[in-house]
Amino acid sequence: MGSPKSKSALERLGHDVRGARLRRGIAVADLAVRAGTSPSTVARLEKGDPGVGIGTLADILVVLGLVDRLADLIDIRKDDLGLALTAERQPRRGRSFATTLRRQKAKGKTAQDDPDVVDPEGASF
């Protein structure tokens, strides 16, 4: 048993497949033959049966000329939540050592004033 939301979405998908088939004037039997499946499977898909395989759906969409829509179902470029979570996990950029030295020189500090900073032109042991 699926969730009520998934059941509703599958029923809507089936309704849309049926509508696309009818607009094209294709009979269930003809669609089934062209998609390589049985008429009862097409009818089950149009009713929103969750047991119809995604491969069968893809074959039917090919016949209807809508297979590109299947590829767009989950477009990760439009996944706002996924993009936000990925951005949150990205490492934060830190300051490089050279940037820290430039900032200190700009403020008038020298390497001798701060014992933790190593002079890049000299050697440190």
Side-chain angles (χ1 to χ4, degrees), residues 7-89:
K7 183 178 181 188
S8 163
L10 288 173
E11 288 172 355
R12 191 172 59 244
L13 174 69
H15 183 269
D16 291 345
V17 167
R18 184 175 192 276
R21 176 182 62 77
L22 292 174
R23 284 187 183 146
R24 286 160 179 75
I26 302 172
V28 172
D30 292 338
L31 180 61
V33 168
R34 290 162 135 187
T37 190
S38 67
S40 64
T41 300
V42 173
R44 285 177 37 227
L45 174 65
E46 290 182 355
K47 290 179 182 173
D49 183 349
V52 178
I54 194 164
T56 302
L57 171 63
D59 291 338
I60 289 172
L61 292 177
V62 166
V63 173
L64 296 173
L66 299 171
V67 75
D68 293 337
R69 306 282 299 276
L70 181 62
D72 291 336
L73 274 178
I74 302 178
D75 186 353
I76 61 172
R77 295 174 299 259
K78 297 176 184 173
D79 179 14
D80 295 333
L81 176 60
L83 291 170
L85 291 172
T86 299
E88 188 177 292
R89 288 190 296 259

